[in-house]
Amino acid sequence: MDKKQHIAIFTTASLPWMTGTAVNPLFRAAYLAKDGERKVTLVIPWLSLKDQELVYPNQITFHSPSEQETYVRLWLEERTGFISGFNIRFYPGKFATDKRSILAVGDITEIIPDEVADIAVLEEPEHLTWFHHGRRWKTKFRLVIGVVHTNYLEYVRREKNGRLQAFLLKYINSWVIHIYCHKVIRLSAATQDLPRSIICNVHGVNPKFLEIGKKKQEQQLQGNQAFSKGAYFIGKMVWSKGYKELLQLLSKHQNQLTGLQVNLYGNGEDSNKVHEAVKKLELPVEVHPGRDHSDPLFHEYKLFLNPSTTDVVCTTTAEALAMGKIVICTDHPSNDFFKQFPNCRTFEDGAGFVKAIHKALAEEPGPLTDDQRHELSWEAATERFLRVTDLDHASNRKLAGPSSKNFMSMSLKLPDLRSNIEDASAYVHYTASGIEAARRAFGAIPGSLEPDEEQCKELGLPFPTGKQSSGSWH
């Protein structure tokens, strides 16, 4: 292995699906590789055509991984203004319609060759390890860092038997992350407490939004009206993404918000329900299809409303602040990072929501300082990531535990397992995750232990013969 760090970033989604785990790991890869000091590989899911049609918007589909890679790189270069020097690799994935999530198929540690398996970043580590069956992440890689994106417990609590499901999921998440990660970064305290974790927002804002904010600030300095529209909200149109809270607040306090016009933008499975709820309001609330948040349509809005309590760190809130808007959001741990910005106004209850709106409508947003603008950037997010992971000083550090070579030579004797609780837990997980009935009982997609013939052909992988497991545990 050469002297440069090799960082493999595994994530659970890819463009053109405009979700946080598609966008943020992509920017992380670009900015970690930007100075040329590290070799970075972004590992993203490849979906077969039938799943692409379910997931990707605007009927966008790809016939090959190389075609999708070209799309991803062009999208990124248009927003960063530079050509990125990282590699892109694909792992086989399947879309779970019940979870609205992509799940990995087979042992995705095999995507990275052993000779460059140095540092792994697992974006959504619980998601990537729930059903993992194969090489143990801590054995394959010298350092494994998890970045927790999603407040799964909050989503689960809103389902049928949610409290029981959340209770079980809490312990499963802690279990798999303890087994597979050396360090964990929680983007905010909205996520559950986890072993070996630290709270730090290591996400930044697409540079386009900062440029929009600079232009708005220039208009303000010249004495021109920078914001001619009122309030809006943008997000995936599902109840749990803030729509339920927002519509309840508007309904309950519409007499105190007379004349307030709110525009909602988004696509999602609850679109019909949102339309029906809006019809019952007396306020002039309109619902529109989703758009890219950097679209000129949004530049004139002064006020961004986001009462969501399921976010961990909301990307659209950061983008709105970068564009120079006033943001009204809940006093919630997910918004702690944003409280340092004067244009962020938090509320605790309905009365506070109404008061914040009236105050914001009567004012103009304050200008961002250079330091505040930098704090929102991906440059600052990358600095924070390197600091909390200690990657700049981690090159020669040896982590606790046996080396891959020694570990591979160990037999799975019970006395050895009993002497090491973590190894025993890993072995239990490895065994259970290799049993189809157990996988299905815990929510895995049927037949996801190995990639199918179609996926192997599309990705150029050898087609597994028989029903053997996808890989060695050790």
Side-chain angles (χ1 to χ4, degrees), residues 88-222:
I88 293 179
R89 301 287 298 273
F90 290 84
Y91 66 82
K94 288 187 177 182
F95 182 63
T97 53
D98 59 329
K99 299 178 180 63
R100 300 293 303 171
S101 297
I102 297 171
L103 297 173
V105 176
D107 180 8
I108 66 173
T109 67
E110 295 177 351
I111 301 299
I112 301 298
D114 286 359
E115 59 269 21
V116 293
D118 184 18
I119 297 164
V121 179
L122 306 187
E123 310 271 357
E124 291 200 315
E126 66 280 67
H127 187 145
L128 286 167
T129 58
W130 284 329
F131 310 112
H132 174 69
H133 181 75
R135 189 82 170 272
R136 189 175 170 189
W137 289 91
K138 285 183 180 177
T139 303
K140 171 89 174 189
F141 295 91
R142 180 178 59 83
L143 176 62
V144 183
I145 301 161
V147 182
V148 178
H149 288 243
T150 306
N151 189 352
Y152 283 111
L153 300 189
E154 185 61 33
Y155 287 119
V156 168
R157 285 190 190 102
R158 298 176 181 223
E159 298 177 0
K160 186 178 180 181
N161 300 320
R163 288 186 177 274
L164 176 59
Q165 288 189 66
F167 175 80
L168 295 173
L169 184 60
K170 177 181 178 181
Y171 287 97
I172 291 171
N173 287 347
S174 294
W175 183 45
V176 293
I177 287 176
H178 179 72
I179 293 170
Y180 293 118
C181 294
H182 294 107
K183 289 186 174 184
V184 178
I185 301 170
R186 298 161 58 202
L187 297 176
S188 77
T191 60
Q192 72 178 86
D193 194 13
L194 290 162
R196 310 183 186 106
S197 68
I198 186 171
I199 296 171
C200 182
N201 177 21
V202 292
H203 287 177
V205 169
N206 176 339
K208 267 196 170 184
F209 294 101
L210 293 167
E211 290 301 317
I212 294 166
K214 286 181 181 179
K215 291 177 182 177
K216 286 296 173 184
Q217 189 166 319
E218 289 172 5
Q219 290 178 4
Q220 288 177 298
L221 291 173
Q222 293 168 1

Side-chain angles (χ1 to χ4, degrees), residues 256-257 328 347 349-361:
Q256 298 160 278
L257 296 171
I328 294 178
F347 66 91
D349 52 26
F353 176 72
V354 172
K355 182 178 178 181
I357 286 179
H358 284 308
K359 188 172 188 294
L361 292 174

Side-chain angles (χ1 to χ4, degrees), residues 249-258 280-283:
L249 284 165
L250 293 176
S251 176
K252 186 176 181 179
H253 301 282
Q254 52 190 342
N255 291 336
Q256 298 160 278
L257 296 171
T258 304
K280 298 175 183 178
L281 296 175
E282 295 177 8
L283 291 173

Side-chain angles (χ1 to χ4, degrees), residues 15-19 23 26-27 57-58 60 71 74-76 78-80 205-210 212 229 232-236 264-267 288-301 304 315-316 319-320 323 325:
L15 298 178
W17 195 12
M18 292 296 294
T19 189
V23 174
L26 178 59
F27 279 113
N58 305 319
I60 300 173
Y71 178 97
L74 285 174
W75 186 94
L76 180 66
E78 286 175 2
R79 285 151 182 80
T80 62
V205 169
N206 176 339
K208 267 196 170 184
F209 294 101
L210 293 167
I212 294 166
K229 297 180 183 177
Y232 77 108
F233 176 62
I234 181 172
K236 186 178 179 182
L264 311 178
Y265 296 87
N267 302 314
H288 307 275
R291 289 178 179 240
D292 190 308
H293 201 188
S294 63
D295 190 294
L297 173 73
F298 298 107
H299 296 186
E300 299 302 312
Y301 283 104
F304 180 73
T315 301
T316 50
E319 292 166 350
M323 288 191 282
K325 305 179 188 304

Side-chain angles (χ1 to χ4, degrees), residues 455-472:
Q455 290 173 313
C456 290
K457 184 178 179 180
E458 291 167 339
L459 290 169
L461 300 173
F463 182 58
T465 57
K467 295 184 178 180
Q468 59 191 13
S469 64
S470 62
S472 165

